[in-house]
Amino acid sequence: MKNVVLTLAALTLLTTAQARTWAEIKQSGTIKIATEGAFPPFNVMKGKEPSGFEVELANALAKQLGLKVQWVIQPFDNLLIGLGQDRYDFVIASHGITPERQKAVDFTNPHYCTGGAVVTKPGGPMNAAALKGKTVAVQVGTTYLENVRKVPGVKDVKTFPKDTDAQAALMAGRVDAWVGDKFTGLDLVKAQKGKVVQGSLLFNEKIGMAVKKGNASLVKELNAALAKAMSDGTYAKLSGKYFGTDVRCK
Ligand code: ARG
């Protein structure tokens, strides 16, 4: 993990090209937004189009800012690196705001609050203590991996390129538990009708949008658009649609 983080920070510093400032984006009329498109219900592909809570939220923010949107779909593990390479203007892909990531990128104010939860088959490990001696599946490059590594005595952590693959490993009985987002976990429990259960939260996190380090003008505009969406009912409506509750940080 340490190496990965260092590489990310180094890449950002080595890049000489400048991120597009707010003025440049505004003038072009189009903002380029990157996501993974494989993390339901936050960002998923619906045919060729990205959709989900974060996609609809970002589209609403862009509209608010008077911009068209060009979506870029990337594997989760590449998303923050691409910011350093100026491949898009910002990333919305459920990134927890962590000190490690803040070395490489800048974050907006959080667009939702959540936690990492243990999900298992009935009778399986339901909390950190019970993970002792167990095998756990997580998506690579995530805060789930970082936090499961901190749990003492876990036998093996298996990483998967996609979160949905980590879930599939649990369903196939290849691991004892999957650690993932608590809302994603609730959806899995519902979809699998009693075949899996959600245990305790291992940690809480604030999720934000990421821009290239130093792109303060863009962070300012995104924060303003997010605040507007949160006060004018846009956010509450979207959150209700996807979660049946308001997921903003309180
Ligand atoms: N919230 C977790 C993190 O910060 C997982 C994010 C996964 N996002 C995704 N699009 N697969 O690492």
Side-chain angles (χ1 to χ4, degrees):
M1 193 65 198
K2 242 193 181 139
N3 287 338
V4 175
V5 170
L6 281 178
T7 311
L8 193 55
L11 268 175
T12 310
L13 292 174
L14 285 170
T15 315
T16 47
Q18 286 292 304
R20 294 203 302 166
T21 61
W22 167 248
E24 288 162 336
I25 295 167
K26 183 82 191 164
Q27 205 196 359
S28 82
T30 301
I31 191 157
K32 284 192 209 171
I33 315 175
T35 193
E36 182 197 25
F39 195 62
F42 300 99
N43 61 77
V44 284
M45 296 308 288
K46 211 173 176 182
K48 282 188 174 164
E49 292 300 313
S51 84
F53 174 67
E54 291 183 300
V55 171
E56 285 204 51
L57 179 62
N59 281 336
L61 300 185
K63 193 171 167 198
Q64 165 74 41
L65 294 168
L67 298 169
K68 289 199 187 113
V69 176
Q70 186 186 328
W71 282 99
V72 180
I73 307 303
Q74 290 283 305
F76 179 72
D77 221 19
N78 291 351
L79 283 166
L80 298 185
I81 293 169
L83 278 176
Q85 302 166 332
D86 296 311
R87 303 188 45 210
Y88 27 78
D89 300 305
F90 76 95
V91 170
I92 184 162
S94 290
H95 284 91
I97 302 172
T98 66
E100 290 79 10
R101 286 175 179 161
Q102 280 172 318
K103 286 179 197 157
V105 299
D106 285 337
F107 282 99
T108 62
N109 292 330
H111 61 278
Y112 73 95
C113 263
T114 187
V118 181
V119 175
T120 184
K121 293 198 171 167
M126 296 284 278
N127 54 38
L131 288 177
K132 203 171 169 196
K134 304 292 183 193
T135 303
V136 185
V138 293
Q139 182 180 22
V140 74
T142 60
T143 50
Y144 316 128
L145 175 59
E146 196 182 315
N147 283 276
V148 169
R149 283 208 173 127
K150 288 186 199 150
V151 176
V154 171
K155 184 171 154 212
D156 192 17
V157 187
K158 293 200 189 303
T159 58
F160 296 83
K162 290 197 290 181
D163 191 58
T164 44
D165 297 333
Q167 292 168 33
L170 171 65
M171 296 318 302
R174 284 187 281 134
V175 294
D176 300 304
W178 158 69
V179 172
D181 183 84
K182 69 173 180 186
F183 295 110
T184 306
L186 289 176
D187 280 1
L188 185 69
V189 169
K190 222 189 272 169
Q192 296 293 338
K193 294 194 180 76
K195 285 195 207 127
V196 289
V197 286
Q198 180 154 304
S200 317
L201 287 187
L202 287 188
F203 64 100
N204 287 301
E205 62 180 351
K206 291 182 177 165
I207 307 293
M209 296 168 262
V211 305
K212 187 176 184 180
K213 193 141 198 66
N215 197 350
S217 62
L218 179 54
V219 168
K220 193 172 157 225
E221 293 298 328
L222 288 174
N223 281 341
L226 179 62
K228 174 99 193 340
M230 284 181 166
S231 64
D232 73 4
T234 306
Y235 184 97
K237 198 172 153 204
L238 274 180
S239 183
K241 170 178 166 184
Y242 282 95
F243 307 105
T245 178
D246 197 310
V247 297
R248 79 184 70 191
C249 299
K250 304 214 161 82

